[in-house]
Amino acid sequence: MLQSSTQIDLPRYREFCQYLKLKTGIDLSDNKQYLLNSRLKTLVDFYGLKDLNHLISAVISESNSSLCKATLDAMTTNETLWFRDEYPFELLKRELLPKLNKEGKTIRIWSAACSSGQEPYSIAITLDEYKRQSFAYRLDAQIMATDISHTMLEFAARGQYDALAMSRGMSAQRRKLYFDTVSGADKIKPEYAKNIEFRQQNLLDSYWLLGKFDIIFCRNVLIYFDSADKQRVIKQMAQALQPGGILILGAAEAIGSIMPEFEMIKSPIGIYYRKKGG
């Protein structure tokens, strides 16, 4: 096995950053070389390359489509967990779903940048928990889960997780109720996965094929975009929402006054954004 150097030439690193931003919207600063070292060094050995500089050159030239795909997958894969931050799911269960339930319609929820699937499955579980406690449940809910990484989407669609993944935010009670044991792993029960559709989507591309949504979860994604791309994504999400639709961002993210299409709602449970006009 080749020993790969962890030293990356700064000009080469900046070339890669430009390439990554063009392809994914991710905006890396000059002090993030460690991300390439941690996420790409195994690909150097796997593809028989001399070092990270040679890998970057091969990716930018797009001479090996498999390497390009593996590199983008590695750079866009983020750690996640079940019911991350808790409050978005409490907000969904205690405030948003009761309002939508009164209308008794089919609702569509989008989990953007769903990674390995914990967020859309957490949404599905939250929907069922609300259904169980609701006196008159009238909703028909569909969940769209998207990610830029084909590898992550394939993993997420399987809905099967090892003990380490299940230990990150999944309670024993929910684990028993919503998962089956399959080949030593935990697999989401089919009745809770059936209304989730997984689809590849770059957030910088058009959303019109996805249709309209009542709620969008776009959490812990915008922090990787520069100001212009952040504004572009938020504007497109506004267009993808129904009038009065809800946008839920990550705890450390905010859109401030950059998008007049939204009004910020300060709920006792947490902050979210409502599209004007509903």
Side-chain angles (χ1 to χ4, degrees), residues 8-9 11-17 19 36 40 44 49 51-62 67 71:
I8 307 171
D9 296 335
R12 192 69 54 84
Y13 170 76
R14 287 173 173 169
E15 276 189 275
F16 180 77
C17 289
Y19 177 85
L36 273 66
L40 302 182
V44 172
L49 299 168
D51 55 29
L52 282 168
N53 290 299
H54 284 75
L55 180 145
I56 290 171
S57 294
V59 169
I60 291 173
S61 69
E62 298 189 333
L67 173 62
T71 299

Side-chain angles (χ1 to χ4, degrees), residues 28-270:
L28 294 183
S29 57
D30 278 352
N31 62 349
K32 295 292 181 69
Q33 288 96 329
Y34 70 90
L35 281 177
L36 273 66
N37 289 329
S38 63
R39 296 191 178 197
L40 302 182
K41 61 185 179 181
T42 57
L43 295 180
V44 172
D45 293 331
F46 183 83
Y47 284 91
L49 299 168
K50 182 179 179 181
D51 55 29
L52 282 168
N53 290 299
H54 284 75
L55 180 145
I56 290 171
S57 294
V59 169
I60 291 173
S61 69
E62 298 189 333
S63 57
N64 184 324
S65 60
S66 174
L67 173 62
C68 289
K69 179 178 180 297
T71 299
L72 292 178
D73 278 347
M75 293 304 301
T76 56
T77 299
N78 299 302
E79 290 190 33
T80 188
L81 59 155
W82 302 98
F83 300 93
R84 184 173 182 175
D85 299 327
E86 286 291 341
Y87 88 87
F89 305 96
E90 286 301 305
L91 178 69
L92 182 65
K93 187 192 308 183
R94 292 164 50 189
E95 187 166 327
L96 303 182
L97 290 178
K99 291 180 181 178
L100 291 166
N101 191 47
K102 291 179 181 178
E103 302 173 19
K105 65 173 187 176
T106 297
I107 64 169
R108 299 188 73 230
I109 302 174
W110 178 16
S111 169
C114 69
S115 190
S116 47
Q118 281 89 333
E119 182 174 84
Y121 290 127
S122 294
I123 293 171
I125 290 171
T126 301
L127 283 162
D128 184 72
E129 289 177 341
Y130 173 72
K131 180 179 180 179
R132 290 171 184 266
Q133 71 183 33
S134 175
F135 176 72
Y137 186 80
R138 304 166 61 201
L139 290 173
D140 181 17
Q142 300 171 354
I143 301 169
M144 175 72 69
T146 69
D147 201 89
I148 195 172
S149 169
H150 289 283
T151 301
M152 281 293 98
L153 286 170
E154 290 172 0
F155 180 92
R158 288 195 294 271
Q160 190 163 315
Y161 300 90
D162 61 20
L164 178 61
M166 295 300 293
S167 70
R168 304 188 67 198
M170 179 58 66
S171 69
Q173 182 179 5
R174 282 171 169 161
R175 187 174 182 175
K176 181 178 180 180
L177 186 59
Y178 294 104
F179 291 83
D180 291 320
T181 301
V182 178
S183 302
D186 288 88
K187 185 176 178 63
I188 190 81
K189 292 181 178 180
E191 57 266 38
Y192 306 113
K194 65 180 181 180
N195 290 330
I196 303 176
E197 178 184 354
F198 291 93
R199 186 184 297 188
Q200 197 275 339
Q201 177 69 45
N202 185 331
L203 293 181
L204 294 180
D205 293 341
S206 171
Y207 307 161
W208 73 272
L209 286 175
L210 300 180
K212 294 285 188 178
F213 297 94
D214 298 278
I215 302 171
I216 296 177
F217 283 68
C218 181
R219 303 191 304 131
N220 309 300
V221 181
L222 297 179
I223 54 174
Y224 298 107
F225 292 164
D226 65 19
S227 179
D229 284 339
K230 182 188 298 185
Q231 186 165 345
R232 177 180 169 186
V233 169
I234 293 296
K235 188 174 186 65
Q236 291 198 141
M237 288 192 167
Q239 294 169 346
L241 279 168
Q242 300 282 7
I246 302 301
L247 174 63
I248 300 174
L249 301 178
E253 296 167 317
I255 59 176
S257 60
I258 65 171
M259 296 311 302
E261 291 91 344
F262 288 98
E263 58 179 332
M264 184 171 69
I265 307 298
K266 294 182 178 179
S267 161
I269 304 171

